[in-house]
Amino acid sequence: MAKRVAVIGAGSSGLTSIKCCLDEGLEPVCFESSDDIGGLWKFKEQPEADRCSIYRSVIVNTSKEMMCYSDFPMPDHFPNYVNNSTLLQYFRLYAGHFNLLKHIHFQTTVRSVRQRPDFSNSGQWEVVTVDRDGREETHVFDGVLVCAGHYTQPIKPLSDFPGIDTFPGTIIHSWEYKDSDPYLGKRVVVIGIGNSGGDIAVELSRACEKTFLSTRKGAWVIGRVVDRGLPLDMVMMTRARDLFYWLLPRALLNLILERILNQRYDHKLYGLQPVHRILDQHIVINDDLPGRILLGDLAMKSNVQKFQGSTVFFDDGTVEEKIDAVILCTGYDYKFPFLPTSLSSGSDGDLKLYRRIFPPSLERPTLAILGLFQNNGPIMPAVELQARWASRVIAGLNHLPPAEKMVKSIEKDVQANLKSYPSPKLAALQVDHIPYIDSIAKEVGVRPNIAWLLLKDPAVGLRVFFGPCSPYQFRLNGPGHWSGARQAILTQWDRVAKPMKTRSIPEPSSFGLISWLGLSGGAALIFALMAMQIIPLFLNSD
């Protein structure tokens, strides 16, 4: 009899978890509190408590070839950077293709997840749910995959801003922000320069009388488009580049990368210059931020010092009056109130997780938390690999190391990140994309063997090493092998080009090229003859 696994949430993590369970012969039962799939990417006009919420204009920061599931490329006509509604369409295509919807119980909320009395032997869990009609039900599962997301608890640090209680305008968190319509013609301060802060400030700058973006530390900013108009992540995230970066001294690499960005626009001149080095924290991805600053519609400001009515004072001594609204882009906390409190440690309620997946304190590794990390690359391929590993562990096909070894590994990862992220809770979330997904892929048995590929299939091997580290690489061999992976790698740049080829441009004829060369050559000859006539005149002028 197949082991039953509870999957909590039907967003990007939940959908792939259902499929991974099916791939390993498990029986997934997914509980989704809303009425649709999509999780974070499902736009709603009003935010709902304890659920993710996005603004109307959200566009992903990672390209379609890098963020798709490894055995299901996005349609070639999809734009390279999709908006939330297009991504939701992709989820529906994925769910339909693999017949996932029949495993999902919509409008069903998980109230609690508790170990059964015989957990040390069975590894089983009691899961209490409440359906749309208020009926409570208790289920028994052999495993649990938590895919509930961690952008549900907005952080509002109002106590950090003295006098904010005297501010007469509106104050909201980016979790509540939907569009710029309520701010037309107003003066708005956006606090926080992460990706959401940058996006919202840019959008507001097109509607407001004036928009101010306040930051304590600044940020390194880069657009989605790089050399020759290609997607940023497809150019930057390659194994060859990652190896080159690893070989260079970190200080030198910081210097090189910062110089490259400053050649595009001087971060100090634009008021963006951060206090940290470029590799120490995540880069902000924004195509329009420098342009809006250049046009004067968006002004960079230092940290907010205090409020005095509608006047805002900043740390650098500047003052802005008649402010109508404040939008806090100050991040999120994460909480899973349905989980046992014994899984959390420390006063901040941190979840110590081995490889950002497994609580080491459990006697039996039958519960995994997916997507609870922050990386410098696409989230979905990393979550998919997490789900592939977790489902194999629950199925008994893979085994975890002893608890002591897992704890030491967690502590080592946190210590490595503390220099850049002083908060241990935040430091624990950080992973480096390619090394991280490779480490998970190794556990699953699907990490590509570059040397073997170069010998056996050079066309693919060269693309795997020098080309984008796209998800298809993890379907070339091993468990979950997909016969279409090789072709997906060979054609990935074709899918990049397809949505942009909307206008037919004829190639220049050979006659035209030869004629141009002839004309340019003739002009050069005439110029040379003229020079030969003129130069002696100058030489003989004395």
Side-chain angles (χ1 to χ4, degrees):
M1 186 174 179
K3 291 183 177 181
R4 299 178 73 239
V5 178
V7 178
I8 303 175
S12 60
S13 303
L15 289 175
T16 194
S17 293
I18 297 171
K19 180 185 177 296
C20 291
C21 284
L22 293 171
D23 289 345
E24 302 303 341
L26 303 171
E27 181 186 338
V29 180
C30 179
F31 301 110
E32 169 56 47
S33 60
S34 71
D35 58 359
D36 199 0
I37 63 174
L40 168 67
W41 301 101
K42 176 70 174 177
F43 173 79
K44 292 192 175 182
E45 293 288 347
Q46 295 295 328
E48 300 176 4
D50 299 322
R51 291 183 183 170
C52 300
S53 176
I54 58 172
Y55 38 96
R56 192 186 308 275
S57 62
V58 162
I59 296 176
V60 299
N61 287 329
T62 51
S63 64
K64 66 177 182 180
E65 289 299 299
M66 298 294 281
M67 71 176 295
C68 64
Y69 296 121
S70 60
D71 54 357
F72 194 73
M74 288 197 190
D76 58 2
H77 66 276
F78 273 25
N80 283 288
Y81 289 96
V82 299
N83 60 23
N84 57 289
S85 60
T86 306
L87 185 55
L88 195 61
Q89 183 183 348
Y90 171 68
F91 290 147
R92 288 175 178 144
L93 291 172
Y94 179 78
H97 181 78
F98 293 109
N99 200 19
L100 306 180
L101 294 179
K102 67 179 183 180
H103 301 282
I104 304 174
H105 296 260
F106 291 104
Q107 293 184 316
T108 303
T109 302
V110 173
R111 282 282 175 83
S112 69
V113 176
R114 297 290 181 267
Q115 301 169 27
R116 299 201 76 200
D118 63 344
F119 179 81
S120 59
N121 292 320
S122 68
Q124 290 184 326
W125 299 84
E126 283 187 357
V127 177
V128 178
T129 62
V130 178
D131 66 14
R132 70 192 71 188
D133 299 317
R135 289 192 295 266
E136 188 173 280
E137 188 174 355
T138 300
H139 315 259
V140 175
F141 289 101
D142 300 291
V144 176
L145 298 177
V146 179
C147 309
H150 63 282
Y151 295 107
T152 59
Q153 309 294 326
I155 296 173
K156 293 185 177 181
L158 299 181
S159 60
D160 291 352
F161 308 112
I164 199 167
D165 55 320
T166 68
F167 180 66
T170 59
I171 303 172
I172 67 167
H173 191 275
S174 57
W175 179 80
E176 303 165 79
Y177 176 85
K178 294 300 173 182
D179 54 46
S180 63
D181 290 352
Y183 306 96
L184 183 64
K186 295 185 177 181
R187 292 167 59 83
V188 180
V189 172
V190 178
I191 299 178
I193 196 177
N195 285 317
S196 294
D199 284 349
I200 291 172
V202 164
E203 184 167 275
L204 289 173
S205 72
R206 296 189 172 97
C208 293
E209 176 190 319
K210 190 74 174 184
T211 304
F212 305 96
L213 179 53
S214 167
T215 172
R216 286 184 302 168
K217 298 180 179 180
W220 295 102
V221 180
I222 191 170
R224 294 178 178 88
V225 181
V226 289
D227 303 340
R228 296 185 296 125
L230 300 175
L232 168 69
D233 49 3
M234 292 193 72
V235 173
M236 300 297 291
M237 289 189 174
T238 71
R239 295 179 180 278
R241 189 182 289 265
D242 208 54
L243 176 61
F244 176 70
Y245 285 175
W246 181 78
L247 292 173
L248 282 180
R250 190 177 180 89
L252 177 60
L253 186 54
N254 274 319
L255 190 65
I256 293 171
L257 295 176
E258 289 168 9
R259 181 176 176 81
I260 291 172
L261 281 194
N262 278 326
Q263 284 179 336
R264 294 179 181 176
Y265 40 84
D266 187 331
H267 280 61
K268 185 175 182 180
L269 178 65
Y270 277 71
L272 295 166
Q273 183 76 44
V275 297
H276 58 267
R277 304 306 300 270
I278 193 169
L279 294 176
D280 287 347
Q281 294 190 23
H282 296 303
I283 291 177
V284 170
I285 299 177
N286 196 295
D287 301 301
D288 303 321
L289 186 57
R292 303 311 297 173
I293 295 171
L294 194 63
L295 293 174
D297 294 320
L298 174 60
M300 295 301 302
K301 305 295 290 186
S302 62
N303 189 47
V304 171
Q305 184 185 78
K306 65 177 182 178
F307 287 81
Q308 194 173 87
S310 61
T311 301
V312 181
F313 296 79
F314 298 91
D315 282 348
D316 60 3
T318 59
V319 177
E320 296 296 339
E321 300 178 338
K322 299 180 180 178
I323 300 299
D324 300 293
V326 173
I327 299 178
L328 301 170
C329 299
T330 44
Y332 294 83
D333 195 2
Y334 60 84
K335 294 178 181 177
F336 303 106
F338 50 82
L339 290 180
T341 55
S342 59
L343 296 183
S344 301
S345 59
S347 58
D348 57 1
D350 185 22
L351 281 168
K352 297 290 191 294
L353 300 175
Y354 176 62
R355 301 287 183 85
R356 297 310 311 158
I357 306 173
F358 299 102
S361 59
L362 292 176
E363 295 176 85
R364 300 289 298 273
T366 54
L367 180 142
I369 298 175
L370 308 186
L372 188 57
F373 61 89
Q374 294 179 351
N375 73 346
N376 54 355
I379 300 292
M380 285 166 52
V383 168
E384 182 186 30
L385 279 166
Q386 286 185 331
R388 292 173 73 178
W389 187 24
S391 59
R392 289 180 62 81
V393 169
I394 292 173
L397 300 172
N398 285 76
H399 304 281
L400 300 183
E404 299 80 11
K405 188 173 180 179
M406 289 193 283
V407 170
K408 287 181 179 178
S409 175
I410 294 169
E411 291 173 351
K412 181 181 177 181
D413 291 341
V414 171
Q415 288 299 318
N417 292 325
L418 276 176
K419 180 180 177 182
S420 301
Y421 301 90
S423 163
K425 186 174 183 178
L426 191 58
L429 294 175
Q430 312 306 314
V431 298
D432 193 9
H433 182 65
I434 293 180
Y436 180 70
I437 59 176
D438 266 353
S439 70
I440 305 300
K442 182 180 179 182
E443 298 289 348
V444 180
V446 296
R447 186 171 72 176
N449 185 325
I450 307 297
W452 176 246
L453 277 174
L454 288 171
L455 290 172
K456 180 185 176 184
D457 192 348
V460 171
L462 289 169
R463 286 168 172 82
V464 168
F465 184 65
F466 291 104
C469 186
S470 49
Y472 321 119
Q473 298 183 10
F474 303 103
R475 292 286 179 178
L476 287 169
N477 52 56
H481 165 77
W482 174 45
S483 60
R486 182 181 187 275
Q487 186 64 16
I489 292 171
L490 295 176
T491 57
Q492 56 194 353
W493 285 108
D494 295 334
R495 287 187 296 280
V496 171
K498 177 64 181 291
M500 296 192 287
K501 290 185 174 180
T502 57
R503 171 176 170 250
S504 178
I505 301 176
E507 295 292 335
S509 66
S510 58
F511 174 78
L513 179 60
I514 293 170
S515 299
W516 182 85
L517 290 172
L519 288 172
S520 60
L525 179 60
I526 293 170
F527 180 79
L529 290 172
M530 290 176 63
M532 290 174 66
Q533 296 289 330
I534 294 171
I535 289 172
L537 293 177
F538 280 101
L539 294 175
N540 297 326
S541 60
D542 290 339

